[in-house]
Amino acid sequence: MNLRFVVTRLGMLVVTVLVSSLAIYGAMFLTPGDPATLLIGGSRNPDPAVLDRIHREYHLDDPFIQGYWHWLSNCLHGDFGTSLVYRGSVTDLIGDRAGTTLALVGYAAVLVLAAGITIGTVAALRGGRTEALATTLTAGAMAVPTFVMAVVLIWLFAVQLPWFPVYGSGEGLTGTLSHLTLPAVALAMTWIGYVAQVTRTAVRAELRSEHVETARSRGVPEWTVIRRHVLHNASGPVFAVSGVGVAGLIATAAIAEQAFGTGGLGALMIEAAAKQDMTVVQAVSLLFVVVFVVINTTVDLVSAALDPRAAQKGAR
């Protein structure tokens, strides 16, 4: 792999995180009024002693860059501050909710990869009506927003057919899988469509390629041609869009968590924003940005390893 490409991507990761963290920290200061009042829920008559304590604790009287660096350095050490609404450590709040979000995103990612790649591959290899049906269904899946899919799934599989629970995250492996099935499907459906479409296109392109025709003309068995030449060469774009899909699941997890009451990090951020608990909002937002950027960078590096030509273009 091109070393310059790797260094460039890692540098972009660091810059993106720093710029995003600066925007997240600065958003509080763009709001009219004293940022300290936001940290206590925007009270009209806040206690001056409380305001003074918040100013000292959050270094709000420091110059902007100095206060930002103090906040960021604490975050780098795992200290996200104290929530004045939830009356506890933000780090502990994140720790209590992170497992649910991780399980939900992981479940949805498995559905995206398994269903999307399978549907796209079968559609491209069989063609005809199978391909037309798969294209229609996946295009429809891509067009339905997550919150609409959540409502449909609740109505169908919880009201009409009471097969799955629709609230909470469950306990134990069986309970967790049962509670997270509907939110995972709602979260994954759009990306299943994307992955299936890209997989179908990539496999179709490889089936028409010259090297595949050459392998067939030499009498290479069809399954060997598909496995070694078609699927292997199509893996680059399929992996790339799958990685973007997993990152997208993190960005939209809050919608499914709020719809099904699973109580993950996304739901925590929405609740904290409604209560103007900016300390929690800043911490969760920064965490989501970091995870999103790391996944995208990892996808770029693996895609470059699968296709060195992409690395050469990206390094220019």
Side-chain angles (χ1 to χ4, degrees), residues 281-299:
V281 174
Q282 287 178 321
V284 177
S285 298
L286 180 62
L287 184 61
F288 278 175
V289 167
V290 170
V291 174
F292 187 89
V293 174
V294 168
I295 290 177
N296 277 325
T297 302
T298 302
V299 170

Side-chain angles (χ1 to χ4, degrees), residues 47-151:
D47 186 344
V50 174
L51 288 178
D52 289 340
R53 179 173 65 83
I54 292 175
H55 274 262
R56 291 193 306 270
E57 181 178 351
Y58 292 91
H59 296 262
L60 297 180
D61 293 328
D62 293 345
F64 178 81
I65 295 300
Q66 182 178 342
Y68 160 73
W69 177 248
H70 185 273
W71 170 75
L72 181 61
S73 60
N74 283 343
C75 291
L76 292 175
H77 288 88
D79 180 10
F80 293 103
T82 302
S83 168
L84 297 179
V85 173
Y86 293 92
R87 305 294 180 181
S89 168
V90 176
T91 303
D92 292 340
L93 285 173
I94 292 175
D96 292 339
R97 306 269 191 128
T100 299
T101 298
L102 182 62
L104 175 60
V105 172
Y107 194 170
V110 171
L111 295 178
V112 169
L113 297 177
I117 294 175
T118 300
I119 293 172
T121 301
V122 171
L125 294 178
R126 292 193 174 182
R129 294 182 179 178
T130 301
E131 183 175 9
L133 178 61
T135 301
T136 302
L137 293 178
T138 53
M142 292 164 57
V144 180
T146 300
F147 69 90
V148 174
M149 183 61 66
V151 172

Side-chain angles (χ1 to χ4, degrees), residues 39-270:
L39 298 173
I40 57 175
S43 175
R44 293 183 178 179
N45 298 303
D47 186 344
V50 174
L51 288 178
D52 289 340
R53 179 173 65 83
I54 292 175
H55 274 262
R56 291 193 306 270
E57 181 178 351
Y58 292 91
H59 296 262
L60 297 180
D61 293 328
D62 293 345
F64 178 81
I65 295 300
Q66 182 178 342
Y68 160 73
W69 177 248
H70 185 273
W71 170 75
L72 181 61
S73 60
N74 283 343
C75 291
L76 292 175
H77 288 88
D79 180 10
F80 293 103
T82 302
S83 168
L84 297 179
V85 173
Y86 293 92
R87 305 294 180 181
S89 168
V90 176
T91 303
D92 292 340
L93 285 173
I94 292 175
D96 292 339
R97 306 269 191 128
T100 299
T101 298
L102 182 62
L104 175 60
V105 172
Y107 194 170
V110 171
L111 295 178
V112 169
L113 297 177
I117 294 175
T118 300
I119 293 172
T121 301
V122 171
L125 294 178
R126 292 193 174 182
R129 294 182 179 178
T130 301
E131 183 175 9
L133 178 61
T135 301
T136 302
L137 293 178
T138 53
M142 292 164 57
V144 180
T146 300
F147 69 90
V148 174
M149 183 61 66
V151 172
V152 172
L153 292 175
I154 291 173
W155 174 81
L156 181 59
F157 293 106
V159 178
Q160 299 298 319
L161 301 171
W163 293 351
F164 296 98
V166 294
Y167 188 83
S169 57
E171 296 182 359
L173 179 60
T174 303
T176 299
L177 290 176
S178 177
H179 280 76
L180 294 185
T181 294
L182 293 186
V185 172
L187 185 60
M189 193 60 69
T190 297
W191 287 106
I192 289 175
Y194 276 109
V195 172
Q197 293 276 20
V198 172
T199 301
R200 182 186 62 83
T201 302
V203 173
R204 267 290 179 194
E206 292 299 327
L207 287 171
R208 301 191 188 100
S209 63
E210 184 177 346
H211 67 276
V212 169
E213 295 297 333
T214 302
R216 285 171 172 166
S217 65
R218 292 178 176 177
V220 178
E222 184 66 15
W223 172 241
T224 302
V225 172
I226 293 174
R227 180 170 56 87
R228 290 185 179 180
H229 299 282
V230 176
L231 298 182
H232 180 268
N233 291 334
S235 63
V238 172
F239 177 83
V241 75
S242 298
V244 173
V246 173
L249 294 176
I250 296 172
T252 56
I255 301 173
E257 290 179 350
Q258 194 71 2
F260 291 92
T262 59
L265 289 178
L268 173 64
M269 184 172 66
I270 293 175

